[in-house]
C-alpha cells in the first residue's frame, strides 16, 4: 500500500489488490472496488498507478489520438465488435470483483470505463485494462500500449525506506 500511496501522492481508496506489476516489481495497475468506501460507485476497476505509464498516457492523450480512435470506431464494424467485447470483459471482471468483495456493482447508468463501448475517452483506463487483462482483450488499450512503448524503462519510484515492491 505504501508504494501505491507514493505513486498516487495520496492514500489510495477502494483498492482490492494489484492487477499488474511493472517489471521493476512495483504496482502498475490497482484493482479497485466497484464502490469506494461509503458506497460511491467507481467504474474504473483497473486504475493505472505506474507514474511512468500515467505520464506516457497523458502525453499520448495530449496528442489528440482519442479523437482519431473514436472516428475509427464509428467506421469499423470489426473494431467496434472487439471494443464491445472488451467492455463486456471489463464488466465481467468488475462484477466478479464486486461479488468477491460482497459489494454492489456499478449501476448501468455509470457503466463505462475509458469511454467503452461507444467512444475512446481515457487512455489511462484502457491501458490499465490492457495490462491487467493481457494482450488481445482491449484493442485500444493494446494500441495505446504499443504507442507509449517501454514506459517501464524509467523507474516508477525511488526506493522507499522499508518498502517492498
Amino acid at each position: 500500500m505504501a508504494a501505491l500511496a507514493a505513486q498516487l501522492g495520496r492514500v489510495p481508496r477502494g483498492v482490492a489488490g494489484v492487477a499488474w506489476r511493472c517489471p521493476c516489481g512495483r504496482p502498475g495497475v490497482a484493482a479497485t472496488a466497484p464502490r469506494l468506501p461509503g458506497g460511491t460507485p467507481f467504474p474504473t476497476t483497473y486504475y493505472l498507478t505506474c507514474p511512468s505509464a500515467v505520464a506516457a498516457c497523458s502525453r499520448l492523450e495530449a496528442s489528440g489520438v482519442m479523437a482519431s480512435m473514436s472516428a475509427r470506431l464509428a467506421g469499423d464494424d470489426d473494431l467496434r465488435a472487439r471494443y464491445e467485447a472488451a467492455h463486456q470483459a471489463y464488466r465481467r471482471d468488475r462484477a466478479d470483483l464486486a461479488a468477491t468483495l460482497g459489494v454492489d456493482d456499478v449501476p448501468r447508468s455509470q457503466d463505462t470505463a475509458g469511454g467503452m463501448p461507444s467512444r475512446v475517452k481515457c487512455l489511462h483506463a484502457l491501458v490499465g485494462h490492457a495490462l491487467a487483462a493481457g494482450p488481445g482483450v482491449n484493442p485500444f488499450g493494446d494500441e495505446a500500449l504499443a504507442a507509449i512503448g517501454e514506459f517501464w524503462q524509467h523507474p516508477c519510484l525511488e526506493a522507499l525506506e522499508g518498502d517492498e515492491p
Side-chain angles (χ1 to χ4, degrees), residues 1-152:
M1 218 42 141
L4 285 172
Q7 288 175 325
L8 297 172
R10 62 174 172 77
V11 175
R13 301 177 303 151
V15 173
V18 175
W20 180 82
R21 287 187 180 274
C22 286
C24 72
R26 300 253 182 239
V29 177
T32 306
R35 292 194 178 264
L36 297 174
T40 302
F42 193 76
T44 305
T45 302
Y46 299 117
Y47 197 94
L48 191 63
T49 64
C50 171
S52 297
V54 169
C57 282
S58 294
R59 285 189 299 274
L60 190 57
E61 283 187 354
S63 77
V65 72
M66 285 121 39
S68 65
M69 287 175 163
S70 289
R72 287 179 32 230
L73 183 64
D76 185 330
D77 291 341
D78 178 62
L79 182 58
R80 196 168 38 256
R82 290 187 296 129
Y83 198 48
E84 173 65 33
H87 176 64
Q88 295 306 323
Y90 198 99
R91 291 181 69 227
R92 281 190 302 276
D93 289 353
R94 193 181 59 232
D96 290 348
L97 184 58
T100 298
L101 297 173
V103 299
D104 291 333
D105 199 353
V106 173
R108 283 237 187 235
S109 63
Q110 298 174 4
D111 184 31
T112 184
M116 291 188 290
S118 59
R119 62 192 173 118
V120 180
K121 177 183 168 191
C122 177
L123 296 182
H124 299 83
L126 301 180
V127 165
H129 184 214
L131 289 169
V137 175
N138 190 312
F140 288 122
D142 289 346
E143 279 186 31
L145 273 172
I148 64 177
E150 296 180 338
F151 60 85
W152 59 85

